Amino acid sequence: MSNLFPDEEARSAYEIDYESLYGQGYRGIIYDIDNTLVYPDAPADDASVSFIQKLKEMGFKVTVVSNNGKSRVKTFADAIGAQYVCKALKPRAMGYRKAMEIMGTDPGTTVCIGDQLFTDIWGARRLGIHAVLTQPFTLKEEIQIRCKRLLEKPVLARYRRLQSEKERS
Ligand SMILES: [Mg+2]
């Protein structure tokens, strides 16, 4: 169960304290695309492009890792100036490993940021990668993702309950 719990939660990928992550020694960031950096299937926009640019200036390497196909993922990655791994079959380890190889990082220096517990977070945590769960932009999603959201609910509830108990003690 605990591998399904994120290391931290954030409202959005754009509202994370990246200075602090850099200070903690993280150098590579793995991003999910859909519902994490932009709305599902939406193209890169000015916000995502300048955001990734800023992270690179801070000294981060950035790779998008997506279960989507090459046309979607490469187009998006090229637009924001990031590396990419497509058809990653998250939560399988392959895509995360490939991304770390590209960035020259390891699980101790890599952060994974995504909106889905059973793909983004689980896959990262199994490899010991620091995992940040973000809130999806929209819940109007494909049917199989909506099913996964239902399964996420009890896990998230348990995680949040444990977190608030920790904060109180
Ligand atoms: Mg997603």
Side-chain angles (χ1 to χ4, degrees):
M1 182 75 128
S2 67
N3 270 352
L4 283 174
F5 292 166
D7 291 288
E8 54 179 302
E9 276 193 280
R11 248 193 25 188
S12 130
Y14 297 89
E15 293 175 43
I16 292 169
D17 187 350
Y18 290 98
E19 301 272 0
S20 161
L21 288 174
Y22 193 88
Q24 291 168 60
Y26 295 107
R27 294 295 179 267
I29 307 177
I30 292 173
Y31 280 109
D32 171 51
I33 301 176
D34 295 301
N35 245 343
T36 296
L37 286 175
V38 289
Y39 277 79
D41 296 317
D45 52 18
D46 291 345
S48 52
V49 172
S50 60
F51 173 66
I52 299 300
Q53 178 64 35
K54 216 178 76 194
L55 291 175
K56 284 161 69 181
E57 283 163 12
M58 280 175 68
F60 284 108
K61 299 266 197 310
V62 178
T63 303
V64 290
V65 175
S66 171
N67 289 350
N68 244 313
K70 188 171 178 181
S71 61
R72 162 67 172 151
V73 179
K74 185 180 188 309
T75 306
F76 186 86
D78 287 350
I80 62 170
Q83 306 272 25
Y84 72 93
V85 178
C86 60
K87 295 183 190 157
L89 302 175
K90 290 181 281 186
R92 280 167 64 174
M94 180 193 77
Y96 300 86
R97 293 216 174 99
K98 238 189 233 175
M100 289 189 284
E101 201 182 299
I102 291 170
M103 298 189 287
T105 59
D106 58 36
T109 55
T110 307
V111 181
C112 174
I113 297 164
D115 70 295
Q116 283 194 71
L117 278 186
F118 291 96
T119 51
D120 309 306
I121 302 305
W122 191 28
R125 292 273 308 182
R126 280 163 62 213
L127 291 171
I129 296 170
H130 187 85
V132 185
L133 179 71
T134 56
Q135 311 248 332
F137 287 110
T138 176
L139 292 173
K140 285 182 188 153
E141 299 172 291
E142 291 168 37
I143 184 72
Q144 75 266 25
I145 296 179
R146 290 212 300 255
C147 291
K148 277 195 273 181
R149 297 261 179 232
L150 286 177
L151 300 172
E152 284 182 353
K153 269 191 180 164
V155 182
L156 264 181
R158 189 174 146 77
Y159 167 75
R160 286 173 183 155
R161 201 171 58 238
L162 288 171
Q163 284 302 104
S164 65
E165 278 168 19
K166 244 191 247 171
E167 274 161 30
R168 262 183 278 126
S169 66

